[in-house]
């Protein structure tokens, strides 16, 4: 799960900086007055321009590497800049929790279209083009008009429900069932209640199966409301080059995984051979034991029979000698 911190190096200001520089906020109250709405729309248009020009950071590319070799189950982000979608693999693994800056939406009907800054000049929100089409059709058919909705940037604001909340919840449940063994919270203090709740849920699931949970931030933005295995704070800028090195080593990791799989297959093969040898050895030992018993039985029965035969022969000869000649000496 990522926050604004991972996009700062791409030229996207974090929310604290935006609030100070643009004198606006991401609260639903921005639509309460024309002046607040105008400031908010100006801020969103500036952010849209910055996002369209931004390039993925080393950390985005690092995540894309994990996505490419199948090690990334999901990337949940609170960012709306859509930088992930400029990479070949990360975009399809990314869930944007708070909307996206490149879309406009009419909340009531859920219709979405591309965000065009020219539509959002001043304080007036543009009409929903889909509603306009429906209104014209109803007018043509002589039906009663239902009104035309207004488009707004597809950004989830503080104080409003996330219309995609139930979908995100179901997706998180499916992700948990896949058995993740690590989760990283990067560049976020988890101050938004929905994100904090999701973070707790994911961390509990990972810890339950003996995995690790890590919080990584450039400053001390650690959230005490979520339990982590490790917390990395105050990450200095001159240490961020490590991300590039990690990305480079990610290819070596993929190669190591292939070698590991090959080694495991070889070990399994040798184990099967050893088991076969062990089985053959057990059979041989059993056969030797049986043969030994047969020999011992043969020796005992043969010697016993020979002794009986000798005694009987001696007795018969002596008896014969006694009857035929009393002078014949005893047979020995």
């Amino acid at each position: 799960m990522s926050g604004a911190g991972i996009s700062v190096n791409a030229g996207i200001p974090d929310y604290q900086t935006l609030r100070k520089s643009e004198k606006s906020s991401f609260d639903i109250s921005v639509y309460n007055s024309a002046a607040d709405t105008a400031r908010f729309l100006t801020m969103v248009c500036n952010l849209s321009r910055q996002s369209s020009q931004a390039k993925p950071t080393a950390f985005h590319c690092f995540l894309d590497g994990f996505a490419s070799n199948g090690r990334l189950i999901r990337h949940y982000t609170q960012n709306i800049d859509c930088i992930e979608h400029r990479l070949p693999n990360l975009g399809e693994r990314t869930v944007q929790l708070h909307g996206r800056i490149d879309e406009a939406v009419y909340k009531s009907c859920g219709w979405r279209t591309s965000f065009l800054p020219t539509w959002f000049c001043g304080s007036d929100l543009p009409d929903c083009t889909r509603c306009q089409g429906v209104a014209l059709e109803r007018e043509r058919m002589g039906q009663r008009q239902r009104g035309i909705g207004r488009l707004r940037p597809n950004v989830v604001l503080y104080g409003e429900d996330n219309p995609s909340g139930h979908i995100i919840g179901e997706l998180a449940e499916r992700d948990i069932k896949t058995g993740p063994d690590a989760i990283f919270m990067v560049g976020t203090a988890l101050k938004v209640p929905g994100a904090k709740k999701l973070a707790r849920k994911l961390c509990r699931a990972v810890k339950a199966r003996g995995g690790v949970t890590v919080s990584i931030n450039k400053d001390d933005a650690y959230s005490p409301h979520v339990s982590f295995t490790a917390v990395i704070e105050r990450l200095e800028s001159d240490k961020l080059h490590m991300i590039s090195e990690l990305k480079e080593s990610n290819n070596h990791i993929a190669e190591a995984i292939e070698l590991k799989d090959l080694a495991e297959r070889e070990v399994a093969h040798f184990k099967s051979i050893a088991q076969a040898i062990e089985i053959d050895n057990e059979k041989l030992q059993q056969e030797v034991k049986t043969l030994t018993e047969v020999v011992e039985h043969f020796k005992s029965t043969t010697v016993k029979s020979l002794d009986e035969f000798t005694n009987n022969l001696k007795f018969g000869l002596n008896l014969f000698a006694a009857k035929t000649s009393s002078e014949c000496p005893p047979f020995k």
Side-chain angles (χ1 to χ4, degrees):
M1 181 181 288
S2 65
I6 73 165
S7 293
V8 171
N9 282 353
I12 308 296
D14 59 26
Y15 299 131
Q16 298 290 346
T17 303
L18 280 173
R19 278 196 287 267
K20 293 177 182 178
S21 62
E22 303 286 348
K23 296 182 171 34
S24 184
S25 67
F26 284 86
D27 192 278
I28 190 61
S29 61
V30 298
Y31 292 117
N32 291 345
S33 70
D36 288 341
T37 302
R39 282 194 294 269
F40 172 69
L41 294 179
T42 299
M43 177 178 69
V44 171
C45 288
N46 291 336
L47 186 58
S48 172
R49 186 187 69 257
Q50 292 169 326
S51 298
S52 65
Q53 298 172 350
K55 295 181 179 179
T57 66
F59 189 78
H60 286 98
C61 296
F62 178 58
L63 289 182
D64 188 68
F66 276 110
S68 66
N69 61 31
R71 301 183 70 196
L72 180 68
I73 296 175
R74 193 76 58 200
H75 172 221
Y76 293 93
T77 183
Q78 300 172 76
N79 299 339
I80 59 175
D81 50 46
C82 304
I83 294 177
E84 298 84 4
H85 297 279
R86 299 190 182 99
L87 291 166
N89 304 287
L90 184 57
E92 63 184 19
R93 290 286 180 181
T94 297
V95 174
Q96 292 177 271
L97 301 175
H98 299 154
R100 46 191 304 161
I101 197 68
D102 60 354
E103 285 184 350
V105 63
Y106 174 41
K107 292 289 184 178
S108 296
C109 70
W111 186 71
R112 299 181 183 186
T113 186
S114 298
F115 179 89
L116 297 177
T118 53
W119 288 358
F120 296 93
C121 297
S123 60
D124 294 331
L125 295 173
D127 291 337
C128 174
T129 51
R130 181 185 183 187
C131 291
Q132 286 177 329
V134 172
L136 290 173
E137 182 65 20
R138 292 182 68 85
E139 182 180 0
R140 187 184 66 80
M141 298 177 64
Q143 297 178 342
R144 182 172 60 85
Q145 294 295 327
R146 294 180 177 178
I148 297 177
R150 297 294 182 90
L151 288 172
R152 49 172 277 193
N154 186 18
V155 178
V156 180
L157 302 176
Y158 289 102
E160 70 172 340
D161 292 331
N162 189 337
S164 302
H166 66 287
I167 298 175
I168 294 172
E170 291 174 359
L171 184 61
E173 289 291 343
R174 290 202 298 270
D175 288 344
I176 288 172
K177 288 180 181 178
T178 64
D181 53 18
I183 181 168
F184 294 87
M185 304 288 174
V186 187
T188 174
L190 296 174
K191 292 182 178 179
V192 180
K196 187 191 305 179
K197 182 179 179 181
L198 177 61
R200 284 203 202 101
K201 186 175 186 178
L202 295 173
C203 285
R204 280 198 300 266
V206 170
K207 282 191 170 183
R209 67 189 310 271
V212 295
T213 58
V214 183
S215 172
I216 303 175
N217 281 290
K218 187 175 178 181
D219 52 20
D220 51 352
Y222 162 66
S223 174
H225 306 288
V226 181
S227 175
F228 292 105
T229 308
V231 176
I232 304 172
E233 295 178 338
R234 303 184 184 280
L235 190 63
E236 299 298 332
S237 297
D238 60 352
K239 301 296 191 297
L240 294 178
H241 70 276
M242 293 169 60
I243 296 297
S244 299
E245 294 176 3
L246 286 172
K247 178 199 170 188
E248 192 173 312
S249 67
N250 201 36
N251 296 328
H252 300 301
I253 292 174
E255 294 174 2
I257 291 174
E258 292 180 3
L259 291 174
K260 172 177 170 290
D261 293 341
L262 177 62
E264 287 179 347
R265 289 195 296 269
E266 291 296 327
V267 169
H269 176 64
F270 283 117
K271 279 186 176 180
S272 63
I273 294 175
Q275 289 174 352
I277 293 174
E278 185 176 351
I279 292 172
D280 291 341
N281 188 42
E282 290 178 356
K283 289 181 179 179
L284 180 60
Q285 290 180 354
Q286 183 63 38
E287 291 174 359
V288 169
K289 181 180 178 182
T290 302
L291 182 59
T292 302
E293 291 175 351
V294 170
V295 170
E296 292 296 329
H297 177 73
F298 176 76
K299 286 169 59 179
S300 62
T301 54
T302 301
V303 170
K304 182 178 179 181
S305 300
L306 185 60
D307 289 343
E308 290 178 352
F309 174 75
T310 303
N311 291 334
N312 290 337
L313 181 59
K314 288 168 63 178
F315 176 78
L317 290 173
N318 289 329
L319 180 62
F320 176 76
K323 288 185 177 181
T324 55
S325 175
S326 57
E327 295 180 357
C328 182
F331 174 77
K332 293 186 181 178

